[in-house]
Coordinates of all heavy atoms in Angstrom, one line a residue:
M1 N -5.4 10.5 15.2 CA -6.5 10.0 14.3 C -7.6 9.5 15.2 O -7.5 9.5 16.4 CB -6.0 8.9 13.4 CG -6.9 8.5 12.4 SD -6.5 8.3 10.7 CE -6.5 10.0 10.1
A2 N -8.7 9.1 14.7 CA -9.9 8.8 15.5 C -9.6 7.5 16.3 O -9.5 6.5 15.7 CB -11.1 8.5 14.5
A3 N -9.6 7.7 17.6 CA -9.3 6.6 18.4 C -10.4 5.5 18.5 O -10.2 4.3 18.7 CB -9.1 7.0 19.9
G4 N -11.7 5.9 18.1 CA -12.8 5.0 18.1 C -12.7 3.9 17.0 O -13.2 2.8 17.1
I5 N -11.9 4.2 15.9 CA -11.8 3.3 14.8 C -10.8 2.2 15.2 O -11.0 1.0 14.8 CB -11.3 4.0 13.5 CG1 -12.4 4.9 13.1 CG2 -10.9 3.0 12.4 CD1 -12.0 5.9 11.9
D6 N -9.7 2.5 15.9 CA -8.7 1.6 16.2 C -8.2 1.8 17.6 O -7.0 2.3 17.8 CB -7.5 1.7 15.2 CG -6.5 0.7 15.4 OD1 -6.7 -0.4 15.9 OD2 -5.3 0.9 15.0
P7 N -9.0 1.6 18.6 CA -8.7 2.0 20.0 C -7.4 1.3 20.6 O -6.7 1.9 21.4 CB -9.9 1.7 20.8 CG -10.7 0.7 20.0 CD -10.3 1.0 18.6
T8 N -7.2 0.1 20.1 CA -6.0 -0.7 20.7 C -4.7 -0.5 19.8 O -3.7 -0.9 20.3 CB -6.4 -2.2 20.7 OG1 -6.6 -2.6 19.3 CG2 -7.6 -2.5 21.6
G9 N -4.9 0.1 18.6 CA -3.7 0.3 17.8 C -3.3 -0.9 17.0 O -2.3 -0.9 16.4
V10 N -4.1 -2.0 17.1 CA -3.7 -3.2 16.3 C -3.7 -2.9 14.8 O -2.7 -3.4 14.2 CB -4.8 -4.3 16.6 CG1 -4.6 -5.5 15.7 CG2 -4.7 -4.7 18.1
R11 N -4.6 -2.2 14.3 CA -4.6 -2.0 12.9 C -3.5 -1.1 12.4 O -2.9 -1.4 11.4 CB -6.0 -1.3 12.5 CG -7.2 -2.2 12.7 CD -8.5 -1.6 12.5 NE -8.8 -1.4 11.0 CZ -9.8 -0.8 10.6 NH1 -10.7 -0.3 11.3 NH2 -10.0 -0.8 9.3
K12 N -3.2 0.0 13.2 CA -2.1 0.8 12.8 C -0.8 0.1 12.9 O 0.1 0.2 12.0 CB -2.1 2.0 13.8 CG -0.9 3.0 13.5 CD -0.8 4.1 14.5 CE 0.3 5.1 14.2 NZ 1.5 4.6 13.8
D13 N -0.6 -0.7 13.9 CA 0.7 -1.5 14.0 C 0.8 -2.5 12.9 O 1.9 -2.6 12.3 CB 0.8 -2.2 15.4 CG 0.8 -1.3 16.6 OD1 1.2 -0.1 16.4 OD2 0.5 -1.7 17.7
A14 N -0.2 -3.1 12.5 CA -0.2 -4.1 11.4 C 0.1 -3.4 10.1 O 1.0 -3.9 9.3 CB -1.5 -4.9 11.3
L15 N -0.5 -2.2 9.9 CA -0.3 -1.5 8.7 C 1.2 -1.0 8.6 O 1.9 -1.1 7.6 CB -1.2 -0.3 8.5 CG -1.1 0.5 7.3 CD1 -1.3 -0.4 6.0 CD2 -2.1 1.7 7.3
D16 N 1.7 -0.5 9.7 CA 3.0 0.0 9.7 C 4.0 -1.1 9.4 O 5.0 -0.9 8.6 CB 3.4 0.7 11.1 CG 2.7 2.0 11.3 OD1 2.2 2.6 10.4 OD2 2.6 2.4 12.6
A17 N 3.8 -2.3 10.0 CA 4.8 -3.4 9.7 C 4.7 -3.8 8.3 O 5.7 -4.1 7.6 CB 4.4 -4.6 10.7
F18 N 3.5 -3.9 7.7 CA 3.3 -4.2 6.3 C 3.9 -3.3 5.4 O 4.7 -3.6 4.5 CB 1.8 -4.3 6.0 CG 1.5 -4.9 4.6 CD1 1.4 -6.2 4.4 CD2 1.3 -4.0 3.6 CE1 1.1 -6.7 3.1 CE2 0.9 -4.4 2.3 CZ 0.9 -5.8 2.1
L19 N 3.7 -2.0 5.7 CA 4.4 -0.9 4.8 C 5.9 -1.0 4.9 O 6.5 -0.7 3.9 CB 3.8 0.4 5.2 CG 2.3 0.7 4.9 CD1 1.9 2.0 5.4 CD2 2.0 0.5 3.5
E20 N 6.4 -1.2 6.1 CA 7.9 -1.3 6.2 C 8.4 -2.5 5.3 O 9.4 -2.3 4.6 CB 8.2 -1.5 7.7 CG 9.7 -1.4 7.9 CD 10.1 -1.5 9.3 OE1 9.3 -1.0 10.2 OE2 11.2 -2.0 9.6
A21 N 7.7 -3.6 5.4 CA 8.2 -4.8 4.6 C 8.1 -4.5 3.1 O 9.0 -4.8 2.3 CB 7.3 -6.0 5.0
R22 N 7.0 -3.8 2.7 CA 6.8 -3.5 1.3 C 7.9 -2.5 0.8 O 8.4 -2.5 -0.3 CB 5.4 -2.9 0.9 CG 4.3 -3.9 1.2 CD 4.3 -5.2 0.4 NE 5.1 -6.2 0.9 CZ 4.9 -7.0 2.0 NH1 3.8 -6.9 2.6 NH2 5.8 -8.0 2.3
A23 N 8.3 -1.5 1.7 CA 9.3 -0.6 1.4 C 10.7 -1.3 1.1 O 11.4 -0.9 0.1 CB 9.5 0.4 2.5
H24 N 10.9 -2.3 1.8 CA 12.2 -3.2 1.6 C 12.1 -3.9 0.3 O 13.1 -4.3 -0.3 CB 12.4 -4.1 2.7 CG 12.9 -3.4 4.0 ND1 14.1 -2.8 4.1 CD2 12.2 -3.3 5.1 CE1 14.2 -2.3 5.3 NE2 13.1 -2.5 6.0
E25 N 10.9 -4.1 -0.2 CA 10.7 -4.8 -1.5 C 10.6 -3.8 -2.7 O 10.4 -4.2 -3.8 CB 9.4 -5.6 -1.5 CG 9.4 -6.8 -0.5 CD 8.0 -7.4 -0.4 OE1 7.1 -7.1 -1.2 OE2 7.9 -8.4 0.4
G26 N 10.8 -2.5 -2.4 CA 10.8 -1.6 -3.5 C 9.6 -0.8 -3.7 O 9.5 -0.1 -4.7
F27 N 8.6 -0.9 -2.8 CA 7.4 -0.1 -3.0 C 7.6 1.3 -2.3 O 8.3 1.4 -1.3 CB 6.2 -0.8 -2.3 CG 5.6 -1.9 -3.2 CD1 6.2 -3.2 -3.0 CD2 4.6 -1.7 -4.1 CE1 5.7 -4.2 -3.8 CE2 4.1 -2.8 -4.8 CZ 4.7 -4.1 -4.7
R28 N 6.9 2.3 -2.8 CA 6.9 3.6 -2.1 C 5.5 3.8 -1.5 O 4.4 3.4 -2.2 CB 7.3 4.7 -3.1 CG 6.2 5.0 -4.1 CD 6.8 5.8 -5.3 NE 5.7 6.1 -6.2 CZ 5.1 5.3 -7.0 NH1 5.4 4.0 -6.9 NH2 4.2 5.6 -7.8
V29 N 5.3 4.5 -0.5 CA 4.0 4.9 0.1 C 3.6 6.2 -0.4 O 4.4 7.2 -0.2 CB 4.1 4.9 1.7 CG1 2.8 5.3 2.3 CG2 4.6 3.5 2.2
E30 N 2.5 6.2 -1.1 CA 2.0 7.5 -1.6 C 1.3 8.3 -0.5 O 1.4 9.5 -0.4 CB 1.1 7.3 -2.8 CG 1.7 6.7 -4.0 CD 0.8 6.6 -5.2 OE1 -0.3 7.1 -5.2 OE2 1.3 5.9 -6.2
T31 N 0.4 7.6 0.2 CA -0.3 8.2 1.3 C -0.8 7.1 2.3 O -1.0 6.0 1.9 CB -1.5 9.0 0.8 OG1 -2.2 9.7 1.9 CG2 -2.5 8.1 0.1
H32 N -1.1 7.5 3.5 CA -1.6 6.5 4.4 C -2.3 7.1 5.6 O -1.9 8.2 6.0 CB -0.6 5.4 4.8 CG 0.4 5.8 5.8 ND1 0.2 5.7 7.2 CD2 1.6 6.3 5.7 CE1 1.2 6.0 7.8 NE2 2.1 6.4 7.0
T33 N -3.2 6.4 6.2 CA -3.8 6.7 7.5 C -3.5 5.6 8.4 O -2.6 4.8 8.1 CB -5.4 6.9 7.3 OG1 -5.9 5.5 7.0 CG2 -5.8 7.9 6.3
D34 N -4.2 5.5 9.6 CA -3.9 4.4 10.5 C -4.4 3.1 10.0 O -4.0 2.0 10.5 CB -4.6 4.7 11.9 CG -3.8 5.8 12.6 OD1 -2.7 6.2 12.2 OD2 -4.4 6.3 13.6
T35 N -5.4 3.1 9.0 CA -6.0 1.8 8.6 C -5.9 1.5 7.1 O -6.3 0.5 6.6 CB -7.5 1.8 9.0 OG1 -8.1 2.9 8.4 CG2 -7.6 1.9 10.5
H36 N -5.5 2.5 6.3 CA -5.4 2.4 4.8 C -4.2 3.1 4.3 O -3.7 4.0 4.9 CB -6.7 2.9 4.2 CG -7.9 2.2 4.4 ND1 -8.6 2.4 5.6 CD2 -8.6 1.3 3.8 CE1 -9.7 1.6 5.6 NE2 -9.7 0.9 4.5
A37 N -3.8 2.6 3.1 CA -2.6 3.2 2.4 C -2.7 3.0 0.9 O -3.4 2.1 0.5 CB -1.3 2.7 2.9
I38 N -2.0 3.9 0.2 CA -1.9 3.7 -1.3 C -0.4 3.5 -1.4 O 0.4 4.3 -1.0 CB -2.3 4.9 -2.1 CG1 -3.8 5.2 -1.8 CG2 -2.1 4.7 -3.6 CD1 -4.8 4.1 -2.4
V39 N 0.1 2.4 -2.1 CA 1.5 2.2 -2.3 C 1.7 2.0 -3.8 O 0.7 1.6 -4.5 CB 2.0 1.0 -1.6 CG1 1.9 1.1 0.0 CG2 1.3 -0.4 -2.0
G40 N 2.9 2.2 -4.3 CA 3.2 2.0 -5.7 C 4.5 1.4 -5.8 O 5.4 1.6 -5.0
A41 N 4.6 0.6 -6.9 CA 5.9 0.0 -7.2 C 6.9 1.1 -7.8 O 6.5 2.0 -8.5 CB 5.8 -1.1 -8.2
R42 N 8.1 1.1 -7.3 CA 9.1 2.0 -7.8 C 9.3 1.8 -9.3 O 9.4 0.6 -9.7 CB 10.4 2.0 -7.0 CG 10.2 2.5 -5.6 CD 11.4 2.5 -4.9 NE 11.1 2.5 -3.5 CZ 11.3 3.5 -2.6 NH1 12.0 4.5 -3.0 NH2 11.0 3.4 -1.4
K43 N 9.5 2.8 -10.0 CA 9.7 2.6 -11.5 C 11.2 2.3 -11.7 O 12.1 2.9 -11.3 CB 9.4 3.9 -12.2 CG 8.0 4.4 -12.1 CD 7.1 3.5 -12.8 CE 5.7 4.1 -12.8 NZ 4.7 3.2 -13.2
S44 N 11.4 1.2 -12.4 CA 12.8 0.8 -12.9 C 12.7 0.7 -14.4 O 11.6 0.7 -15.0 CB 13.2 -0.5 -12.3 OG 12.4 -1.6 -12.8
F45 N 13.9 0.6 -15.0 CA 13.9 0.5 -16.4 C 13.1 -0.8 -16.9 O 12.3 -0.7 -17.8 CB 15.4 0.4 -16.9 CG 15.5 0.1 -18.4 CD1 15.2 1.1 -19.3 CD2 15.8 -1.1 -18.9 CE1 15.3 0.9 -20.7 CE2 15.9 -1.4 -20.2 CZ 15.7 -0.3 -21.1
L46 N 13.3 -1.9 -16.3 CA 12.6 -3.1 -16.7 C 11.1 -3.0 -16.5 O 10.3 -3.5 -17.3 CB 13.2 -4.3 -15.9 CG 14.6 -4.7 -16.3 CD1 15.0 -5.9 -15.5 CD2 14.6 -5.1 -17.8
S47 N 10.7 -2.3 -15.4 CA 9.2 -2.2 -15.2 C 8.6 -1.4 -16.2 O 7.4 -1.5 -16.5 CB 8.9 -1.7 -13.8 OG 9.3 -0.4 -13.6
R48 N 9.3 -0.4 -16.8 CA 8.7 0.5 -17.8 C 8.5 -0.3 -19.1 O 7.6 0.1 -19.8 CB 9.6 1.7 -18.0 CG 9.5 2.7 -16.9 CD 10.4 3.9 -17.2 NE 10.8 4.4 -15.9 CZ 12.1 4.8 -15.6 NH1 13.0 4.8 -16.6 NH2 12.4 5.2 -14.4
I49 N 9.3 -1.2 -19.4 CA 9.1 -1.9 -20.7 C 8.3 -3.2 -20.6 O 7.9 -3.8 -21.6 CB 10.5 -2.2 -21.4 CG1 11.3 -3.2 -20.5 CG2 11.2 -1.0 -21.7 CD1 12.6 -3.6 -21.1
R50 N 8.2 -3.7 -19.4 CA 7.4 -4.9 -19.2 C 5.9 -4.6 -19.1 O 5.5 -3.6 -18.4 CB 7.8 -5.5 -17.8 CG 7.3 -6.9 -17.5 CD 7.7 -7.5 -16.2 NE 9.1 -7.1 -15.9 CZ 9.6 -7.0 -14.7 NH1 8.8 -7.2 -13.7 NH2 10.8 -6.7 -14.5
L51 N 5.1 -5.4 -19.7 CA 3.6 -5.2 -19.6 C 3.1 -5.8 -18.3 O 3.3 -7.0 -18.1 CB 2.9 -5.8 -20.9 CG 3.2 -5.1 -22.2 CD1 2.6 -6.0 -23.3 CD2 2.8 -3.7 -22.2
R52 N 2.6 -5.0 -17.5 CA 2.1 -5.5 -16.2 C 0.7 -4.9 -15.9 O 0.3 -4.0 -16.6 CB 3.0 -5.1 -15.1 CG 4.4 -5.6 -15.2 CD 5.3 -5.3 -14.1 NE 4.9 -4.1 -13.3 CZ 5.4 -3.8 -12.1 NH1 6.4 -4.4 -11.6 NH2 5.0 -2.7 -11.5
G53 N 0.2 -5.4 -14.8 CA -1.0 -4.9 -14.3 C -0.8 -3.6 -13.6 O 0.1 -2.9 -13.9
S54 N -1.5 -3.4 -12.6 CA -1.4 -2.1 -11.8 C -0.1 -2.0 -11.1 O 0.5 -3.0 -10.7 CB -2.5 -2.1 -10.8 OG -2.4 -1.0 -10.0
D55 N 0.5 -0.8 -11.0 CA 1.6 -0.6 -10.3 C 1.3 0.2 -9.0 O 2.2 0.6 -8.3 CB 2.8 0.1 -11.1 CG 2.4 1.5 -11.5 OD1 1.2 1.8 -11.4 OD2 3.3 2.2 -12.0
R56 N 0.0 0.4 -8.7 CA -0.4 1.0 -7.5 C -1.4 0.1 -6.8 O -2.2 -0.6 -7.5 CB -1.2 2.4 -7.8 CG -0.3 3.4 -8.5 CD -1.0 4.6 -8.9 NE -1.4 5.4 -7.7 CZ -2.7 5.7 -7.4 NH1 -3.6 5.5 -8.3 NH2 -2.9 6.4 -6.4
Y57 N -1.4 0.1 -5.5 CA -2.3 -0.8 -4.7 C -2.9 0.0 -3.5 O -2.3 0.9 -3.0 CB -1.4 -2.0 -4.2 CG -0.8 -2.8 -5.3 CD1 0.4 -2.4 -5.8 CD2 -1.5 -3.8 -5.9 CE1 0.9 -3.2 -6.9 CE2 -1.0 -4.5 -6.9 CZ 0.2 -4.2 -7.4 OH 0.7 -4.9 -8.5
V58 N -4.1 -0.5 -3.2 CA -4.8 0.0 -2.0 C -4.5 -1.1 -0.9 O -4.7 -2.2 -1.1 CB -6.3 0.1 -2.2 CG1 -7.0 0.5 -0.9 CG2 -6.6 1.1 -3.3
V59 N -4.0 -0.6 0.2 CA -3.7 -1.5 1.4 C -4.7 -1.2 2.4 O -4.9 0.0 2.8 CB -2.2 -1.3 1.9 CG1 -2.0 -2.3 3.0 CG2 -1.3 -1.6 0.7
S60 N -5.3 -2.2 3.0 CA -6.3 -2.0 4.1 C -6.1 -3.0 5.2 O -5.6 -4.1 4.9 CB -7.7 -1.9 3.6 OG -8.1 -3.2 3.0
V61 N -6.5 -2.7 6.4 CA -6.3 -3.5 7.6 C -7.7 -3.7 8.2 O -8.4 -2.8 8.5 CB -5.4 -3.0 8.6 CG1 -5.1 -3.9 9.7 CG2 -4.0 -2.5 7.9
D62 N -8.1 -5.0 8.4 CA -9.4 -5.3 9.1 C -9.2 -5.1 10.6 O -8.1 -4.9 11.1 CB -10.0 -6.6 8.7 CG -9.1 -7.8 9.2 OD1 -8.3 -7.6 10.1 OD2 -9.3 -8.9 8.5
E63 N -10.4 -5.3 11.3 CA -10.4 -5.1 12.7 C -9.5 -6.1 13.5 O -9.2 -5.9 14.7 CB -11.8 -5.1 13.3 CG -12.5 -6.4 13.1 CD -13.2 -6.5 11.7 OE1 -13.1 -5.7 10.8 OE2 -13.9 -7.5 11.5
H64 N -9.1 -7.2 12.8 CA -8.3 -8.2 13.5 C -6.8 -8.1 13.1 O -5.9 -8.8 13.6 CB -8.7 -9.6 13.1 CG -10.2 -9.8 13.3 ND1 -10.7 -9.9 14.6 CD2 -11.2 -10.0 12.5 CE1 -12.0 -10.1 14.5 NE2 -12.4 -10.1 13.3
G65 N -6.4 -7.0 12.3 CA -5.0 -6.8 12.0 C -4.7 -7.5 10.7 O -3.5 -7.5 10.3
G66 N -5.6 -8.1 10.0 CA -5.4 -8.7 8.7 C -5.2 -7.7 7.6 O -6.0 -6.8 7.4
V67 N -4.1 -7.7 6.8 CA -3.8 -6.8 5.8 C -4.1 -7.3 4.4 O -3.7 -8.5 4.1 CB -2.3 -6.4 5.9 CG1 -2.0 -5.3 4.9 CG2 -2.0 -5.9 7.3
T68 N -4.8 -6.5 3.6 CA -5.0 -6.9 2.2 C -4.4 -5.8 1.3 O -4.4 -4.7 1.7 CB -6.5 -7.1 1.9 OG1 -7.2 -5.9 2.2 CG2 -7.1 -8.3 2.7
M69 N -4.0 -6.3 0.1 CA -3.4 -5.3 -0.9 C -4.0 -5.6 -2.2 O -3.9 -6.8 -2.8 CB -1.9 -5.5 -0.9 CG -1.2 -4.5 -1.8 SD 0.6 -4.5 -1.5 CE 1.1 -5.3 -3.0
I70 N -4.8 -4.7 -2.8 CA -5.5 -5.0 -4.0 C -5.1 -3.8 -5.1 O -4.8 -2.8 -4.6 CB -7.1 -5.0 -3.9 CG1 -7.6 -3.7 -3.3 CG2 -7.5 -6.2 -3.0 CD1 -9.1 -3.5 -3.3
P71 N -5.2 -4.1 -6.3 CA -4.9 -3.1 -7.4 C -5.7 -1.9 -7.2 O -6.9 -2.0 -6.9 CB -5.1 -3.8 -8.7 CG -5.0 -5.3 -8.4 CD -5.5 -5.4 -7.0
A72 N -5.1 -0.7 -7.3 CA -5.8 0.6 -7.3 C -6.2 1.0 -8.7 O -5.7 0.6 -9.6 CB -4.9 1.6 -6.6
E73 N -7.2 1.9 -8.7 CA -7.6 2.5 -9.9 C -6.4 3.4 -10.4 O -5.6 3.9 -9.6 CB -8.8 3.4 -9.7 CG -10.1 2.7 -9.4 CD -10.6 1.9 -10.5 OE1 -10.5 2.4 -11.6 OE2 -11.2 0.8 -10.3
P74 N -6.2 3.5 -11.7 CA -5.2 4.4 -12.2 C -5.3 5.8 -11.8 O -6.5 6.2 -11.6 CB -5.3 4.2 -13.8 CG -6.2 3.1 -14.0 CD -7.0 2.8 -12.8
K75 N -4.2 6.5 -11.7 CA -4.3 8.0 -11.4 C -5.0 8.7 -12.6 O -4.8 8.4 -13.7 CB -3.0 8.6 -11.2 CG -2.4 8.3 -9.9 CD -1.1 9.1 -9.8 CE -0.5 8.9 -8.5 NZ 0.8 9.7 -8.3
R76 N -5.8 9.6 -12.2 CA -6.5 10.4 -13.3 C -5.7 11.7 -13.5 O -5.2 12.2 -12.5 CB -7.9 10.8 -12.9 CG -8.8 9.6 -12.8 CD -10.2 10.0 -12.5 NE -11.0 8.7 -12.3 CZ -12.0 8.6 -11.5 NH1 -12.4 9.6 -10.8 NH2 -12.6 7.4 -11.5
S77 N -5.6 12.1 -14.7 CA -4.8 13.3 -15.0 C -5.6 14.5 -15.0 O -6.8 14.6 -15.0 CB -4.0 13.2 -16.3 OG -4.7 12.6 -17.3

């Protein structure tokens, strides 16, 4: 990937660690680059009947390695 965006690898390492932790919590990674990802909550019987907000999130990493996770727009069909 573009070395100029994350020359030290801090962002990639922070994102990889964050995604690994979310995978242990039941999230699946839909797609990711070195600095961004889309994750989704795995579907379970209870999650299908419970009214909730988004089950997909955009994950991004700033230049200092700080990770944020915000609700993603719904998938379009």
Side-chain angles (χ1 to χ4, degrees):
M1 186 129 282
I5 293 172
D6 186 26
T8 62
V10 169
R11 295 173 78 180
K12 180 184 182 318
D13 294 343
L15 181 60
D16 288 345
F18 184 86
L19 294 176
E20 186 175 329
R22 295 303 78 77
H24 289 293
E25 294 175 2
F27 284 88
R28 70 192 183 296
V29 177
E30 292 182 14
T31 184
H32 76 89
T33 66
D34 287 349
T35 59
H36 292 80
I38 302 290
V39 299
R42 293 183 200 244
K43 300 290 185 191
S44 69
F45 176 73
L46 290 176
S47 70
R48 287 184 209 137
I49 61 173
R50 188 181 322 152
L51 296 175
R52 301 186 333 174
S54 177
D55 64 345
R56 297 176 70 235
Y57 299 89
V58 176
V59 180
S60 60
V61 184
D62 66 21
E63 63 275 6
H64 305 291
V67 181
T68 58
M69 186 166 106
I70 61 171
E73 293 290 324
K75 280 187 179 180
R76 295 183 182 148
S77 44

